[in-house]
Amino acid sequence: MRQLFQKPLKSPKLSFSINEESLDWQNLVKEWEELLKLGHLHSIKNKFFKTNFSLKNAPRSRILELSQLCRRSQMTSDGLKLLAPIVRGEDSDGEATDMEVIEYCHQLQVMGATNEALFRLKRIDEDKTPAVLIQKAVTYVSQWEYERAIECIDKYLKSCEIDSYKKAIIEVNRISALLYLEKFPEAEKSTQQLMQLCESNGWKRLLTNCHEFQIQALYHRQDFTAAQKVLREVQKLEVSDTSIDKLLIKKWSAILAAIETQNRQQVDTFLDEVRLSGRWEII
């Protein structure tokens, strides 16, 4: 099979920028992280995006976390441009670390270049850098290999200790794989546990994922009334209109409305929105 990475692209200038002349990168990262946990993507873009100080001027020590924040804020192309020169050996500050390569592969996977992502990930020692297991899992999910994804996640969770928020993000991916494999009892039990954690910490974005998992399971059981009830609850959450989570909720709203009315108009409207956004993974 021909690999997607045979012709590397040159990295264009970053569009993401900040307008502070004297910038405290540590505080910027901290504030950005807090806004992400609250699901305030719109605030992130308003605060950091339309300004004059380019992220390419960030110190090398901050490039990895800034690239991660770009990707998590749905600005993957900007995050990819930050890391591309480092991973491809074009940066004068030395070779890429394993973690920089892993993040680069994550962003390749988001952009659809899963062949290159797995090629680079398989060259990283799992014992030395266990985090590679999580990115392998995410990439396997993109290739519909859910059993292999769960194996990687379980191996990772047994190999190291991580903070509760990162563990919650990993659990979201694990539950998604369980649902695809139709392991509904295990998925629903894990979802309930994760919901309690998210509610107690105010993690609205992850809580939206939990509600979406609930709806999936109820849809499978054909309990459409209960699914509608969960949908009404999640619609009360303040999630950015630009987020992929919001599109997932719109998807289930359209599906449940079509079942109730026996009319697919809302489904067609939703498909038009997906077509415009280019987020085909939602389907």
Side-chain angles (χ1 to χ4, degrees):
M1 181 180 293
R2 201 180 95 182
Q3 299 293 336
L4 297 178
F5 53 89
Q6 289 177 336
K7 297 181 180 179
L9 299 176
K10 291 184 178 179
S11 302
K13 292 183 179 180
L14 288 166
S15 59
F16 188 99
S17 53
I18 312 164
N19 72 351
E20 312 232 357
E21 293 182 3
S22 179
L23 190 59
D24 185 335
W25 292 99
Q26 183 174 351
N27 283 337
L28 181 146
V29 167
K30 182 179 178 181
E31 183 176 359
W32 194 341
E33 180 72 36
E34 289 305 313
L35 287 170
L36 264 177
K37 288 181 179 180
L38 294 171
H40 294 172
L41 298 187
H42 185 69
S43 297
I44 290 169
K45 293 180 180 180
N46 279 344
K47 187 171 183 65
F48 300 130
F49 193 68
K50 300 176 181 177
T51 49
N52 301 317
F53 194 96
S54 175
L55 278 186
K56 69 180 180 181
N57 295 322
R60 170 68 182 268
S61 61
R62 293 290 179 184
I63 291 294
L64 174 59
E65 57 191 341
L66 289 168
S67 182
Q68 291 171 332
L69 289 168
C70 283
R71 185 250 308 158
R72 291 168 58 201
S73 303
Q74 298 179 13
M75 293 180 287
T76 302
S77 60
D78 286 300
L80 203 58
K81 292 165 196 172
L82 279 173
L83 281 173
I86 298 171
V87 175
R88 293 173 181 167
E90 301 166 7
D91 187 82
S92 60
D93 290 336
E95 295 182 359
T97 65
D98 284 351
M99 295 307 298
E100 287 170 337
V101 174
I102 290 169
E103 179 57 30
Y104 182 73
C105 290
H106 192 160
Q107 300 190 30
L108 286 175
Q109 173 263 319
V110 171
M111 302 294 283
T114 56
N115 288 335
E116 178 179 358
L118 280 174
F119 175 81
R120 292 182 183 275
L121 291 169
K122 288 176 180 178
R123 299 168 71 180
I124 296 175
D125 187 336
E126 293 177 359
D127 294 327
K128 178 183 174 184
T129 313
V132 72
L133 289 162
I134 293 304
Q135 189 49 47
K136 280 185 178 180
V138 173
T139 309
Y140 282 134
V141 166
S142 297
Q143 296 189 333
W144 313 104
E145 297 189 49
Y146 288 90
E147 291 282 9
R148 296 183 74 175
I150 291 174
E151 288 174 6
C152 287
I153 291 172
D154 288 344
K155 185 176 180 180
Y156 175 76
L157 292 175
K158 291 176 182 177
S159 68
C160 56
E161 294 183 2
I162 53 175
D163 66 56
S164 58
Y165 186 71
K166 288 182 180 178
K167 186 173 182 179
I169 293 174
I170 293 169
E171 190 64 18
V172 165
N173 287 283
R174 187 174 185 278
I175 294 170
S176 180
L178 289 170
L179 287 168
Y180 182 85
L181 294 170
E182 298 187 358
K183 297 183 178 182
F184 294 106
E186 184 179 353
E188 289 181 274
K189 180 180 178 180
S190 296
T191 298
Q192 287 296 330
Q193 293 173 344
L194 183 58
M195 284 186 71
Q196 293 175 4
L197 182 63
C198 292
E199 287 171 346
S200 63
N201 286 281
W203 298 337
K204 292 183 179 180
R205 290 195 72 195
L206 296 183
L207 189 58
T208 301
N209 292 134
C210 292
H211 284 303
E212 199 263 333
F213 293 150
Q214 283 184 314
I215 293 170
Q216 281 193 54
L218 292 167
Y219 175 84
H220 175 77
R221 294 208 300 263
Q222 298 189 357
D223 191 345
F224 304 127
T225 300
Q228 285 280 13
K229 183 178 179 181
V230 174
L231 181 62
R232 287 192 292 271
E233 288 299 314
V234 74
Q235 286 170 337
K236 297 176 184 177
L237 297 175
E238 296 178 0
V239 180
S240 170
D241 287 337
T242 62
S243 75
I244 193 170
D245 307 314
K246 196 74 170 185
L247 280 174
L248 282 168
I249 299 307
K250 287 183 178 181
K251 178 184 81 170
W252 286 108
S253 179
I255 291 172
L256 294 173
I259 292 171
E260 183 178 1
T261 64
Q262 296 296 300
N263 186 320
R264 59 168 293 142
Q265 181 177 354
Q266 287 195 40
V267 172
D268 291 335
T269 300
F270 170 74
L271 291 174
D272 288 339
E273 185 174 351
V274 171
R275 191 175 296 110
L276 289 172
S277 70
R279 304 307 296 261
W280 293 104
E281 69 271 29
I282 296 294
I283 306 298

